[in-house]
Amino acid sequence: MAEQKPIWQEMGLTAGEYDHICEILGREPNYLETGLFAVLWSEHCSYKNSRPVLKKFPTEGKRVLQGPGENAGAVDIGDGQAVVFKVESHNHPSAVEPYEGAATGVGGVTRDIFTMGARPIASLNSLRFGSLDDPFVRHLLSGVVAGIGGYGNRLGVPTVGGNIFFHSSFKENPLVNAMCVGLVDHDKIVRGRATGTGNLVLLAGAKTGSDGVHGCTFASEELSEETEAPAVQRGDPFLEKLLIEACLEVMEKDYVVGIQDLGAAGLTSSSAEMAGRAGTGIEIDVSLVPTRDEGVTPYEIMLSESQERMLMVLEPQDEQAVKDIFARWGVEATVVGKVTDDNIYRLRDGDDVIAEVPVKALTDSPVWYPEQREPEYYQKLRSWKPDGLPIPEDLGIVLSQLLASPNIASKEWVYNQFDHTALLNTVIGPGADAAVLRIKGTPKGIAMTTDGNSRYCYLDPRRGGAIAVAEAARNLSCVGAEPVGLTDGLNFGNPEKPEIYWQFSQAVEGMSEACRTLDIPVVSGNVSFYNESKGEAIFPTPVVGMIGFLPDAGKHVTGAFHHPGDKIILLGKFFPQLGASEYLALVHELETGAVPELDLEQEKRIQECCRLLIRNGSVKSAHDCAEGGLAVAVAECCIAGKMGATIELPFEGREDNFLFGEVQSCIIITCTPRELADVLQTAADSEISALVLGQTGGNHLVIHDAAGCALIKQRVEEMEKIWRGSISKCF
Amino acid sequence: MFEARIYISLKRGILDLEGKTVNQSLKSLGYDQVEDVKTGKYLVLTLSTADQAAAEQAVQEMCEKLLVNKVMEEYTFELREVAE
Amino acid sequence: MFEARIYISLKRGILDLEGKTVNQSLKSLGYDQVEDVKTGKYLVLTLSTADQAAAEQAVQEMCEKLLVNKVMEEYTFELREVAE
Amino acid sequence: MRFGVVVFPGSDAADCYYVIDQVLGHSVSYIWHQDKDLTDFDCVILPGGFSYGDYLRAGSVAAVAPVMDGIVKYADQGGLILGIGNGFQVLLEAGLLAGAMRRNETPRFRCHDVFLKVENDTLPFTNRYRRGEVISVPIAHGEGNYYIDHQELAALEQEGQVVFRYCTEAGEITPEANPNGSIGNIAGICSKKGNVLGLMPHPERCTEEILGNTAGQRLFLSILNWLGINRQEGVTVHG
Ligand SMILES: Nc1ncnc2c1ncn2[C@@H]1O[C@H](COP(=O)(O)OP(=O)(O)O)[C@@H](O)[C@H]1O
Ligand SMILES: [Mg+2]
């Protein structure tokens, strides 16, 4: 018979941790206290594995109003206004129940935003799935997409962007990262602090059920056959919408001393974190917490992850006014505790004290420094050379194949299920390099994007991480926006495996480097480890969510070719390579090679130049060269503008390389022939190369080589059909 | 020929959003006697099977495989013979 | 105390899209014996009423006012007394 | 001249409010779902969104909210009522417009631009359009599949109550142009008297240059125009 594990081990604590707890308390913790430690010291809540590495991120900048450490980061956009944003992962819940998992992910990150006093104005996401050939993957994707829409659409917050990538490593462990963006006046930013002895602690929103107990320990384990998922949490976007209005109203009226949403580890983490940040004590009476079903235990009340709940601290004289506002919005709000001055975290059940531990003991979890080791595959794969790789005979067919690859094809099957025009701010919606929103009542705009190439990060996590940052910034620059801050979603396998921890630490290293050179601070983020199924890790996937600023929202462009006869120019040094490319994976079924080089100084100059050209109004379109290489980038511009183009590529070497090889820091722009000299001069002044490739016009994309030989001739309409239909035909 | 009536409802502990909303709405219409509302869906399948045991097994399989989301839902069903 | 089980289905002649989709999915899973699928929803109301006739009338009213859209749907219900 | 925008819990009332206030520069206020008195308004808008979460059926719970008694009375008196998206669903559930709404035929939410053919240009809501004109307007809904039985459909057609239909860019009424399976490609209908209009597409989402499309502005200008003529008042249009 198997030996009964001790409770603390069942709950996910190690022997060392348990001893440490006994030492702090000077006694053994009771059942409930053990549960509190187990959740707060779980990786998901404590970042015990990742904290030392995350310190590498640059988090300061002239626009930063709030960096990491609060519910979300905040960045100044002038006129006393700020943008608040954050990424959150909901990977394991989505693997178990795709609709509700994704929906509650959106709900959770949205609460992080309005917790700060900001009105949510946009959502984005970053998704990773297995291959679409697999019916189970299609089931996951349909569910996740419906869930994101089901929640976000009902909230009335437009989902304006995102990215999605398909690869077999995500087959059973999909990634669902959601990002929310809000707008607030500087002087209305509210923080998650329980200050003021004697102040009241108010719990507002949904009743507490027994759902989601131990959600955070669930997120801190690998998925396996035996994994027991907690009872599924269902999101109620309708309640959240009312909660947004009620919370923003009480914050607007300055009734709120501190506020925090209930996320992972529910009431436990929110109350402990609020006291921890403020350096106070807190006391909660579980008998006062409204429960949904009969017989919910104190343990469940404290650990439940029932959705749509907020915890706030008020001064006693404001209690009635606050309750009245919640009542008007039809939202339940109950005083459940108070702030104390003894630095103790105390739980009562009526008159009985049922847990009593120092706040700091809960919030200052031990820090781990896991071992890291370079995996064997790394050196082997990066030294791959394309020598001997056959060049396909018909390069036009290759272009069609690439346009049909779900990683390149139109994602409109996905984003048309999201309301992206609500709130009347969407200047550029999904489908472009970045979304642009106008800021009502001002000429200003903000741009936003999520990026991250999982294959690059597998082959070279450090460079892949840097590229994720550079590419996000480039995407913003391509619509004319200046990057002002980023949030990250770091998705990796089990950090207790040295190779995985190496990937993690390398990726953060690379991202930090890029952030420093490009001068973009990290203001918030999320770490999701244990993305493994049956011992197999996902491709390491740091996701970057980035915000850009436009002084004039009207001065933007997209990638679409506009006018026949416009000149097509390639900005940036063109050094394509086949390693790590979508072409190599799709056509040759090889995932190997070095990741494209990235010169960050060069990247910075190119982006500045691109923004300058857009702001002067000298360019008509801009689009960056990404997956699929130059040929795909130009094809995308043709499709978006429903217009052909004729270009000549005066490059040496393998045709498949300069057509489909991938490269960093390259942007395709167009301008009228009259503006051409100016544009080239501006590029020269910025010390970046600019090469005229050809011009727009006609119904075909025609690509010639240096000798004038046609390599590709495709009807734009035909390309559009392939590109648009590829994902939707799977459903 | 058999007819199977399958009733699908949410598992215990899983929030019944519709039920909650309908309950509140009925109350605000003045139906104070309403204590609780639960919602579910049902399916009526007509099966061209002669054998009751086979029909029963098929229905159960279909529920497990497709009709019921076992992460959140539970089900019961009734089978009765009907004329062609 | 009474419990009312209300069954709501689409009127005859109105295409049951969900039923059609489920039918096709079942067929594609190999369940060729499935002749027809109809879908509907049900509500279980608990009423703190002592009087059966009153409960019956209240349920009917609630259906007509809110629970059923008579342009498309029809309903039946069963009432049974339950312990407090 | 004053517009009212009804706020049910879960409505997206701010968008219509913004357009009346900021784009058209007219007086507008919110009408709370528990308000009873609607006598002060020249036009009442039931906005889009998800009233009461759309639980049970889209618009069904809102249709029995206290404010609806006032709305019904207001409609009887000939007041102008515009229901957009969820507002249209509420009007159907409340019986102010004929028919009912089902889930989209492909049971997914859809958000994109559609082309609409204007079928009746004599209404308070459409007098700034031309009959037969094709306009582009965004949709964003999961339940826009309009249903009505054949007899009633014939009556609607006969009386000119079909106001907008989904069509191709060239104005053809084809199944491909129909985003949700709606009977007769119907996107919007009006009451017999023409004072109540419901439509699934969102004209309030396309009234400004910066958002790339102003086709929806004329719907609101039509209302102002009609109110102006009928009240012999001068109308100034801002924005
Ligand atoms: N990868 C990261 N980079 C920067 N900040 C991070 C990162 N991960 C977490 N943080 C910060 O740590 C804090 C806690 O994050 P998290 O636990 O995800 O929040 P929540 O409690 O809302 O789920 C936040 O301030 C977040 O911005
Ligand atoms: Mg938080």
Side-chain angles (χ1 to χ4, degrees):
Chain A
M1 211 174 79
E3 212 174 302
Q4 184 71 33
K5 281 193 207 164
I7 294 295
W8 49 265
Q9 194 177 349
E10 284 281 338
M11 290 180 182
L13 287 166
T14 66
E17 285 171 340
Y18 187 71
D19 290 344
H20 188 49
I21 293 166
C22 294
E23 202 176 303
I24 296 172
L25 298 183
R27 60 178 167 87
E28 292 210 39
N30 65 27
Y31 183 83
L32 175 59
E33 288 166 339
T34 310
L36 302 179
F37 278 102
V39 290
L40 283 173
W41 287 15
S42 72
E43 166 56 34
H44 190 77
C45 287
S46 73
Y47 289 87
K48 62 187 169 192
N49 289 297
S50 53
R51 258 186 279 156
V53 169
L54 295 179
K55 285 212 181 85
K56 292 178 188 159
F57 280 139
T59 58
E60 275 159 34
K62 57 182 194 304
R63 289 181 183 267
V64 176
L65 297 170
Q66 177 64 59
E70 279 288 336
N71 288 296
V75 168
D76 172 39
I77 57 161
D79 309 322
Q81 292 181 304
V83 177
V84 175
F85 55 100
K86 160 114 199 256
V87 162
E88 188 83 63
S89 62
H90 241 208
N91 304 336
H92 283 183
S94 304
V96 173
E97 168 39 47
Y99 184 98
E100 297 300 341
T104 51
V106 172
V109 75
T110 306
R111 283 193 293 283
D112 278 330
I113 299 309
F114 70 80
T115 298
M116 301 286 296
R119 179 167 284 280
I121 56 168
S123 296
L124 298 94
N125 56 70
S126 187
L127 310 174
R128 301 291 182 278
F129 289 95
S131 161
L132 270 178
D133 308 331
D134 184 333
F136 181 69
V137 169
R138 292 199 296 272
H139 155 78
L140 288 178
L141 177 63
S142 315
V144 164
V145 170
I148 292 172
Y151 204 101
N153 299 345
R154 278 181 163 77
L155 274 187
V157 176
T159 302
V160 299
N163 72 339
I164 181 167
F165 176 79
F166 301 92
H167 184 271
S168 57
S169 73
F170 303 104
K171 180 177 166 175
E172 272 149 27
N173 195 317
L175 300 185
V176 178
N177 287 199
M179 170 169 165
C180 185
V181 182
L183 189 65
V184 65
D185 287 339
H186 292 186
D187 57 354
K188 290 290 174 193
I189 296 179
V190 184
R191 293 184 168 81
R193 287 173 200 187
T195 46
T197 305
N199 280 347
L200 303 177
V201 177
L202 182 98
L203 178 64
K207 288 190 190 335
T208 299
S210 55
D211 47 345
V213 172
H214 275 292
C216 55
T217 27
F218 171 60
S220 308
E221 292 168 356
E222 294 176 26
L223 289 176
S224 73
E225 303 285 333
E226 297 94 70
T227 311
E228 210 177 306
V232 171
Q233 311 141 41
R234 264 190 114 190
D236 183 357
F238 169 55
L239 176 56
E240 177 128 323
K241 203 166 182 174
L242 303 176
L243 201 53
I244 293 177
E245 295 307 330
C247 289
L248 289 180
E249 192 174 329
V250 295
M251 286 191 265
E252 174 63 31
K253 295 192 170 140
D254 288 330
Y255 289 134
V256 176
V257 176
I259 179 169
Q260 163 115 6
D261 62 298
L262 279 70
L267 194 49
T268 299
S269 68
S270 53
S271 53
E273 281 173 17
M274 284 183 80
R277 288 196 197 103
T280 53
I282 200 164
E283 189 174 298
I284 306 269
D285 183 347
V286 294
S287 71
L288 300 176
V289 174
T291 53
R292 196 165 75 216
D293 316 299
E294 273 159 42
V296 184
T297 64
Y299 179 81
E300 287 172 326
I301 290 174
M302 291 313 298
L303 299 190
S304 158
E305 293 184 9
S306 290
Q307 300 290 297
E308 290 90 24
R309 296 179 300 159
M310 303 290 279
L311 196 69
M312 57 198 87
V313 171
L314 320 167
E315 292 180 7
Q317 73 271 15
D318 295 330
E319 178 182 347
Q320 200 49 51
V322 168
K323 283 184 166 169
D324 289 346
I325 291 172
F326 278 100
R328 182 164 180 274
W329 287 102
V331 177
E332 195 165 0
T334 316
V335 170
V336 297
K338 60 175 192 262
V339 179
T340 61
D341 61 0
D342 58 4
N343 299 321
I344 295 291
Y345 187 83
R346 186 177 298 109
L347 299 180
R348 291 179 176 280
D349 187 354
D351 286 338
D352 302 334
V353 172
I354 52 175
E356 198 167 37
V357 296
V359 170
K360 287 284 171 218
L362 290 173
T363 55
D364 296 358
S365 68
V367 178
W368 288 5
Y369 297 88
E371 194 190 330
Q372 33 177 312
R373 188 186 315 126
E374 186 181 292
E376 268 170 38
Y377 75 81
Y378 175 63
Q379 293 297 346
K380 202 169 95 205
L381 297 186
R382 73 193 301 231
S383 59
W384 174 86
K385 294 273 177 309
D387 310 336
L389 191 74
I391 302 179
E393 217 151 277
D394 190 333
L395 296 163
I397 289 181
V398 174
L399 177 59
S400 300
Q401 278 177 300
L402 281 167
L403 290 172
S405 158
N407 289 335
I408 290 176
S410 165
K411 311 295 188 291
E412 64 191 29
W413 183 87
V414 174
Y415 64 68
N416 279 351
Q417 297 185 53
F418 305 147
D419 187 337
H420 43 83
T421 47
L423 297 182
L424 315 186
N425 298 321
T426 311
V427 176
I428 303 179
D433 282 334
V436 174
L437 268 61
R438 57 97 175 256
I439 305 291
K440 285 191 188 109
T442 78
K444 297 181 294 190
I446 53 173
M448 51 198 74
T449 178
T450 58
D451 281 288
N453 183 317
S454 306
R455 187 183 294 125
Y456 287 180
C457 290
Y458 170 70
L459 293 169
D460 188 341
R462 182 169 185 142
R463 195 178 286 167
I467 287 176
V469 173
E471 189 173 338
R474 200 183 314 129
N475 282 340
L476 296 178
S477 297
C478 281
V479 298
E482 180 196 341
V484 293
L486 79 75
T487 176
D488 61 76
L490 305 176
N491 306 274
F492 291 83
N494 182 346
E496 295 154 38
K497 298 179 184 168
E499 287 81 5
I500 300 288
Y501 203 74
W502 177 85
Q503 291 177 335
F504 170 67
S505 123
Q506 287 284 303
V508 171
E509 197 83 58
M511 294 169 80
S512 304
E513 230 166 63
C515 287
R516 262 190 215 99
T517 312
L518 300 176
D519 198 14
I520 308 169
V522 176
V523 299
S524 62
N526 178 259
V527 179
S528 168
F529 281 133
Y530 302 95
N531 290 291
E532 303 207 3
S533 153
K534 303 191 185 111
E536 287 292 316
I538 57 157
F539 267 8
T541 304
V543 168
V544 169
M546 201 180 284
I547 300 290
F549 177 69
L550 297 106
D552 182 347
K555 290 198 174 137
H556 63 264
V557 300
T558 66
F561 286 160
H562 264 260
H563 253 266
D566 282 349
K567 294 293 177 190
I568 302 170
I569 303 148
L570 175 66
L571 278 189
K573 281 197 200 133
F574 191 61
F575 284 120
Q577 56 172 75
L578 292 173
S581 66
E582 181 69 22
Y583 161 74
L584 195 62
L586 186 79
V587 176
H588 300 283
E589 295 177 6
L590 289 173
E591 293 189 287
T592 184
V595 168
E597 265 168 58
L598 174 66
D599 174 344
L600 285 164
E601 291 295 339
Q602 172 85 2
E603 178 77 51
K604 190 172 183 182
R605 286 204 303 279
I606 281 164
Q607 292 189 20
E608 278 166 1
C609 176
C610 180
R611 295 197 297 266
L612 181 67
L613 289 167
I614 294 171
R615 253 169 234 185
N616 307 337
S618 16
V619 301
K620 293 264 184 77
S621 73
H623 180 40
D624 89 312
C625 254
E627 289 89 348
L630 182 60
V632 165
V634 176
E636 287 167 345
C637 299
C638 290
I639 292 169
K642 297 187 190 296
M643 179 170 307
T646 303
I647 63 175
E648 188 183 301
L649 302 181
F651 306 117
E652 308 277 306
R654 305 173 57 121
E655 295 88 356
D656 58 349
N657 187 34
F658 62 72
L659 287 169
F660 311 119
E662 293 177 14
V663 62
Q664 287 298 299
S665 320
C666 283
I667 299 176
I668 293 162
I669 58 173
T670 56
C671 68
T672 62
R674 273 185 49 188
E675 301 269 8
L676 182 62
D678 270 358
V679 168
L680 296 178
Q681 189 57 51
T682 307
D685 293 346
S686 314
E687 293 174 44
I688 58 172
S689 48
L691 177 67
V692 180
L693 296 180
Q695 59 210 359
T696 61
N699 301 321
H700 291 81
L701 168 60
V702 186
I703 304 180
H704 294 117
D705 65 9
C709 198
L711 300 173
I712 286 176
K713 182 172 182 186
Q714 302 269 89
R715 269 188 88 80
V716 175
E717 246 174 63
E718 206 46 48
M719 294 195 300
E720 178 174 354
K721 233 164 88 189
I722 292 166
W723 177 80
R724 252 185 232 292
S726 175
I727 293 183
S728 64
K729 77 171 195 293
C730 299
F731 293 90
Chain B
M1 199 101 129
F2 281 89
E3 185 184 277
R5 287 179 74 88
I6 306 169
Y7 302 98
I8 303 172
S9 61
L10 288 169
K11 279 190 187 168
R12 255 188 82 87
I14 295 196
L15 184 62
D16 183 353
L17 298 167
E18 263 192 296
K20 198 177 91 181
T21 309
V22 170
N23 193 341
Q24 277 164 4
S25 178
L26 288 173
K27 292 249 169 58
S28 73
L29 286 174
Y31 296 104
D32 297 320
Q33 70 270 50
V34 176
E35 294 282 315
D36 186 43
V37 179
K38 287 208 174 55
T39 63
K41 55 187 174 185
Y42 72 91
L43 295 149
V44 185
L45 268 53
T46 317
L47 305 169
S48 58
T49 315
D51 171 10
Q52 164 127 16
E56 195 149 334
Q57 196 197 328
V59 171
Q60 184 159 348
E61 257 180 55
M62 291 185 248
C63 285
E64 305 275 325
K65 267 197 204 156
L66 178 75
L67 306 176
V68 180
N69 175 351
K70 288 195 299 172
V71 179
M72 301 202 317
E73 297 170 334
E74 53 194 19
Y75 67 97
T76 57
F77 67 90
E78 298 157 5
L79 209 60
R80 65 188 184 97
E81 196 155 7
V82 290
E84 300 277 312
Chain C
M1 199 100 130
F2 281 89
E3 186 184 275
R5 286 179 74 88
I6 306 169
Y7 301 98
I8 303 169
S9 59
L10 286 170
K11 277 190 185 166
R12 214 170 270 280
I14 296 185
L15 181 63
D16 180 358
L17 276 172
E18 202 183 333
K20 207 174 103 185
T21 313
V22 171
N23 196 340
Q24 280 162 359
S25 307
L26 288 173
K27 291 255 165 58
S28 75
L29 288 175
Y31 295 104
D32 297 320
Q33 71 269 51
V34 176
E35 295 282 316
D36 185 43
V37 179
K38 285 204 176 57
T39 64
K41 56 186 169 187
Y42 71 91
L43 295 149
V44 185
L45 269 52
T46 317
L47 304 170
S48 57
T49 314
D51 170 14
Q52 164 127 17
E56 195 148 337
Q57 197 196 326
V59 171
Q60 185 159 346
E61 256 180 55
M62 291 186 250
C63 285
E64 305 275 325
K65 264 197 206 159
L66 175 69
L67 305 177
V68 181
N69 179 332
K70 290 196 299 174
V71 176
M72 297 189 298
E73 297 171 330
E74 53 194 22
Y75 68 98
T76 58
F77 67 90
E78 299 156 2
L79 210 59
R80 67 187 182 99
E81 195 157 6
V82 289
E84 298 277 312
Chain D
M1 189 156 314
R2 185 146 153 261
F3 285 75
V5 181
V6 180
V7 185
F8 298 108
S11 295
D12 292 334
D15 289 358
C16 286
Y17 187 100
Y18 172 86
V19 167
I20 306 297
D21 183 42
Q22 295 293 313
V23 182
L24 302 173
H26 271 270
S27 165
V28 53
S29 56
Y30 288 120
I31 301 172
W32 194 243
H33 56 102
Q34 279 153 338
D35 290 352
K36 298 240 158 78
D37 183 18
L38 297 176
T39 46
D40 272 358
F41 297 96
D42 294 304
C43 176
V44 170
I45 301 179
L46 279 71
F50 289 82
S51 56
Y52 299 90
D54 268 7
Y55 301 133
L56 191 63
R57 293 177 311 276
S60 60
V61 179
V64 296
V67 73
M68 290 309 291
D69 290 339
I71 301 247
V72 170
K73 227 175 272 159
Y74 184 75
D76 286 345
Q77 291 158 0
L80 297 190
I81 298 177
L82 169 62
I84 301 171
N86 191 238
F88 183 16
Q89 293 161 341
V90 175
L91 292 173
L92 293 170
E93 284 283 345
L96 284 169
L97 291 172
M101 209 57 93
R102 297 170 297 182
R103 291 197 70 184
N104 293 354
E105 200 167 50
T106 39
R108 286 192 281 271
F109 190 94
R110 294 187 63 157
C111 175
H112 52 80
D113 287 339
V114 295
F115 291 107
L116 295 182
K117 189 170 196 166
V118 180
E119 299 280 17
N120 181 340
D121 62 4
T122 64
L123 299 171
F125 310 95
T126 59
N127 56 68
R128 289 292 188 99
Y129 297 106
R130 275 170 293 105
R131 183 162 181 207
E133 183 181 354
V134 175
I135 55 175
S136 167
V137 179
I139 56 166
H141 62 248
E143 300 188 33
N145 181 353
Y146 179 72
Y147 169 80
I148 190 164
D149 73 29
H150 285 290
Q151 246 168 340
E152 284 187 276
L153 178 62
L156 276 190
E157 304 266 10
Q158 184 99 41
E159 301 287 321
Q161 287 172 255
V162 176
V163 184
F164 297 107
R165 270 187 233 273
Y166 303 107
C167 66
T168 63
E169 190 167 8
E172 302 134 335
I173 312 295
T174 65
E176 295 72 43
N178 186 339
N180 51 33
S182 180
I183 193 162
N185 280 38
I186 288 174
I189 58 167
C190 67
S191 61
K192 236 186 188 124
K193 286 191 286 183
N195 61 321
V196 181
L197 173 73
L199 75 167
M200 284 316 294
H202 286 277
E204 83 283 12
R205 295 190 185 187
C206 54
T207 69
E208 293 172 271
E209 284 298 345
I210 184 77
L211 303 181
N213 180 2
T214 57
Q217 211 186 67
R218 281 186 285 154
L219 191 140
F220 296 97
L221 294 178
S222 298
I223 300 172
L224 295 177
N225 188 35
W226 189 88
L227 288 170
I229 291 167
N230 282 274
R231 311 255 238 76
Q232 312 289 306
E233 277 177 16
V235 177
T236 28
V237 175
H238 302 245

